[in-house]
Amino acid sequence: MAYLLQVAPLSARLDRELASRYDILPLWQAETAARLDKLAEAIEVMVTGSRFGCSAELMARLPALKAIVSFGVGYDPIDVPAAQARGIAISNTPEVLNDCVADLAMGLIIDGRRQLNRADRFVRAGGWLNGNLPLARRVTGSRLGILGLGRIGQAVAKRAEGFAMPVRYHNRRPLTDCPYEYAGSLVELARWADVLLLTCVGGPQTRGLVSRDVLEALGPEGLLVNVARGSVVDEPALVEALQAGRLGGAALDVFDQEPQVPEALLGMDNVVLLPHIGSATRETRGAMEDLVLANLQRFLAEGQLVTPV
Ligand code: 8YV
């Protein structure tokens, strides 16, 4: 009997579909954890999510594992070198969430510059009865620097054109055939930008890239927008820069230790805090679920993934 190891609950519909199609071993249940070593020989496929991944330790306990099918585009918590060393295939859910994450990034840019959340709190608290808010900053024409101009970054850049925002970017290497100007370093990009948007991958290669120096280069009028991974930002340095007024504001959908948000940010009016909802629409989550199911189906039938990473 072949089992599908499911690392964690993923979504109500996906969990239901998985359970109706496959013999699922739910790893988050104590019973599976206890039987795992005994059943390991019968586990060839694992389904996980971008919040859970798969460690080298877990892979090592699964000698028959052939594929890791992941819900979400980011796969930073999957130990890719460990999987590659054993020829374990990995799939994610790219493309289908580009538009929703890009829409949310635009929302955060607009909120961060125009202070929509702050204005809403102001009205609710009765502040309007006694006066007006300080003036905010214009979105149209403001300079957008993008760290990690991949599929999602490009979807934001396209939207930013509608706001006449000049766009520059920094990647490890300049892209060929790219209409946007390349900044040779992240500090250089931050110094130029009014808004620094993070759409890069997570994981060790980007950990802490947005350092104290980068935040300082963005400066007291600058806005940091993060829809990538909390790990990309040196969070203590971010808190310090905001407290000291060395950074203008931050609009964040992701944090280093989700669902923990640094306490100091909660009371700041120039900060927008979202609970990692970049892809959280019914349409996009439905498409992500479908892609997980398609990857599983194809791998089990043909040994091939639809969207290998
Ligand atoms: C999550 C994300 O997948 O796709 C990603 O990498 O970060 C999100 O879309 C979502 O929160 C489901 O866990």
Side-chain angles (χ1 to χ4, degrees), residues 31-112:
E31 204 196 333
T32 304
R35 291 195 304 155
L36 189 64
D37 294 326
K38 229 182 246 158
L39 300 173
E41 287 296 344
I43 299 170
E44 294 191 354
V45 180
M46 162 195 295
V47 56
T48 185
S50 55
R51 285 164 57 195
F52 313 103
C54 178
S55 64
E57 292 72 39
L58 181 56
M59 265 178 247
R61 291 180 67 189
L62 303 167
L65 192 66
K66 292 202 176 82
I68 300 173
V69 171
S70 187
F71 178 60
V73 67
Y75 50 89
D76 38 301
I78 298 178
D79 195 318
V80 177
Q84 278 170 343
R86 278 185 41 200
I88 298 171
I90 303 171
S91 69
N92 62 347
T93 60
E95 303 292 356
V96 292
L97 43 57
N98 296 352
D99 285 328
C100 274
V101 179
D103 291 349
L104 191 88
M106 279 315 298
L108 285 174
I109 292 168
I110 295 171
D111 197 335

Side-chain angles (χ1 to χ4, degrees), residues 176-231:
T176 47
D177 253 357
C178 176
Y180 311 111
E181 199 170 309
Y182 180 71
S185 77
L186 182 52
V187 166
E188 180 192 325
L189 183 69
R191 203 172 291 130
W192 170 82
D194 297 310
V195 178
L196 180 65
L197 169 69
L198 313 182
T199 49
C200 57
V201 298
Q205 72 267 44
T206 56
R207 175 161 279 281
L209 271 189
V210 179
S211 62
R212 189 191 157 96
D213 288 352
V214 171
L215 296 169
E216 241 154 61
L218 188 54
E221 299 295 322
L223 172 71
L224 178 74
V225 177
N226 192 0
V227 295
R229 286 292 180 264
S231 59

